[in-house]
Amino acid sequence: MEELHVANVAAYLGAAVAMGFGAIGSGWGIGYVGVGAARGMARQPSKNSALFRSMLIGQAVASNPSIFALVISFLLYSYGGNDKLQAADSFAQAAAYLGAGISIGLGAIGSGAGNGLVAADAVEGMARNPKESGPVTIMMIVGQAMGQTPVLFSLVVSFMLLFTGEHGNLNASEEFVTSAKLLSMGICMGFGAIGPGLSSSYVGGKFCEGLAKAPEAASELRSAYFIGGGVAQCMSIFAFVFTMILWTA
Amino acid sequence: MKLKLFLFLALICCFFSGEAMASDPLSPPLPLELWGMPFKQATVIYAFLAALLIFIGCFIWSRGLSKENPGRGQMLLELIINAFDNLCKSSFGTKERGRLYLAILTTLFLFVWTSNMMGLLPIPHLAIGGEVFTDYNANEHYDPGEPYIDSNKNGAHDPGFILPSPEEPTADVSTTLALALLLVLLLGHGSEIYYKGIKGYVEEYFSPGGFIGVVMMPLNVVGKIAEIISISFRLFGNIFGGAVIISVVSGLVCYVVLPPFLFGFFGVFVGTIQAFVFTMLALTYISAGAAEEVEEDEASEAMKV
């Protein structure tokens, strides 16, 4: 029996958490785009092919959060299998790996589901008013990109936990505190990204729907959207700022 | 005048590269470390290659344009320019204001798109000239991208000129962060100061005004910083993630059947969408500060045209 490598175990665990939780949001969201497209096609059967194309674009962008989770999952998996890639084999390193998995895994839930909401509302709006499908497609992509801001904060925190810092050579009490710090960074950013990802995307979806219903009010809608969506994202910014405070602690 | 400026810049570049070579005769032509910061050769080489490809491509593309008899290439070029012109016009309010930003935004799109496609180039990892250490097993930390330093023989092998295998420049966070800083900070904030004055620019941070504005000030500042982080890491995450997934999954299936489809989705499709998203977000952030105020009638007219 060889000695137990804590960091390897944590890397595998982190990979599982990242991909398992990360698939929830996008899985639901991609399906919901299909629901929106089906509703739209029932309303406007003559525009089937255009709606189908928009649905595919929306689904491709909505799969982004889970792709981020997949990347972190692959990286953690490669760390788990290879002793040489790893910086150190300590409890602090294990906490960093687990924190990276939790951060991106939970963070992908809100944005993934929210991106689906945006695309579904936009596709329905295009069916309602096919003449406006150009601007609505553009604003759909912008809205999805805005909805992905929280998961990007999660990604940044995951990369920080994976790539920065040597967590070996610590004495017992330092190691305990560092482990707690690194794990709580992941938890803070992971949970903090769920709500804002969902809500800022929801604003974006309703904005696309409104743009299709009332194209003449585009500028008012746009300013309302950027303020509303920006304020909704504040909570994820709080979480990110607090994560940075923990990092420097 | 422009030629003189170009020659001057070229001289400066030669001076810097010469200095870097003179400092250590065994170092490769591009420094591995510049001012204490790590320096990734693949990013620099392929970013310049992308810029060169765009320059040559657009130079050839724009020869022989005609009004009466437009060819296919001209139609495509007009399609791209027209689409961006309309976008700029609707975002910046008027056509004139939009035209000011048209060139840089179109160039940005072309550069980011070409950079995202760099991973598709079939260039092997090359070392031209120099003495290259080939027994990889002797040193397990051997990295083909770095000059090989053999501690047993007390000296560095001259690696010659290393041409790394293609990597997307946008898969390096320094490229995307530089683009984000250039566009959002310099162009966006710069033109906001230019159009609204320093006072108007500072007032923007106290945006709802009054007591609430004072409370909201730190939030607005953090929000502006978050814009830069999110725009740069979105591009970086997508392209870097695509590259990681392509290499890992290709390895899992032993390079059979699947890799072309992976390159098609993560290379071409995601690359195109992310280039467009990056340009659209830059346009949105810049136009938030630099849009021209237009009257209601003009605005509705501008939307119709």
Side-chain angles (χ1 to χ4, degrees), chain B residues 54 102-113:
Chain B
I54 294 168
L102 174 63
I104 190 161
L105 287 168
T106 316
T107 315
L108 174 75
F109 174 75
L110 286 175
F111 177 70
V112 173
W113 186 79

Side-chain angles (χ1 to χ4, degrees), chain A:
Chain A
M1 181 90 186
E2 289 180 29
E3 57 190 306
L4 180 68
H5 293 297
V6 192
N8 289 5
V9 175
Y12 283 136
L13 261 177
V17 169
M19 198 56 242
F21 281 103
I24 297 175
S26 289
W28 184 83
I30 292 172
Y32 195 71
V33 184
V35 173
R39 280 193 198 139
M41 285 176 191
R43 182 189 282 271
Q44 196 80 259
S46 62
K47 292 283 173 195
N48 260 353
S49 60
L51 291 178
F52 187 70
R53 211 163 44 232
S54 304
M55 180 190 86
L56 283 184
I57 293 175
Q59 285 182 330
V61 182
S63 68
N64 260 350
S66 68
I67 288 176
F68 294 151
L70 184 64
V71 170
I72 296 292
S73 190
F74 273 142
L75 289 173
L76 282 170
Y77 176 76
S78 65
Y79 285 139
N82 196 339
D83 294 345
K84 285 165 197 159
L85 286 175
Q86 201 155 269
D89 190 18
S90 64
F91 275 103
Q93 192 62 48
Y97 287 156
L98 198 53
I102 290 172
S103 166
I104 190 69
L106 292 177
I109 294 177
S111 293
N115 274 344
L117 285 174
V118 180
D121 282 348
V123 174
E124 262 194 274
M126 278 176 223
R128 197 187 289 266
N129 190 356
K131 263 188 280 179
E132 288 296 314
S133 54
V136 172
T137 308
I138 289 165
M139 290 323 290
M140 173 182 87
I141 290 176
V142 171
Q144 285 183 318
M146 292 275 286
Q148 278 171 16
T149 308
V151 76
L152 286 161
F153 289 142
S154 293
L155 186 70
V156 173
V157 170
S158 289
F159 274 135
M160 280 171 60
L161 287 174
L162 277 184
F163 291 130
T164 57
E166 292 266 335
H167 304 300
N169 305 329
L170 297 167
N171 63 39
S173 67
E174 266 180 359
E175 186 165 344
F176 188 70
V177 173
T178 314
S179 319
K181 186 183 87 178
L182 295 170
L183 193 59
S184 49
M185 274 175 70
I187 291 172
C188 172
M189 197 58 238
F191 278 102
I194 297 178
L198 203 54
S199 67
S200 63
S201 303
Y202 193 63
V203 182
K206 290 298 161 195
F207 165 63
C208 288
E209 206 182 324
L211 195 64
K213 272 184 193 165
E216 66 276 4
S219 61
E220 287 89 344
L221 279 172
R222 189 177 292 152
S223 61
Y225 164 54
F226 280 114
I227 292 172
V231 173
Q233 275 174 9
C234 276
M235 308 312 137
S236 71
I237 295 174
F238 289 158
F240 188 63
V241 169
F242 194 74
T243 312
M244 290 300 116
I245 293 171
L246 278 174
W247 177 250
T248 52

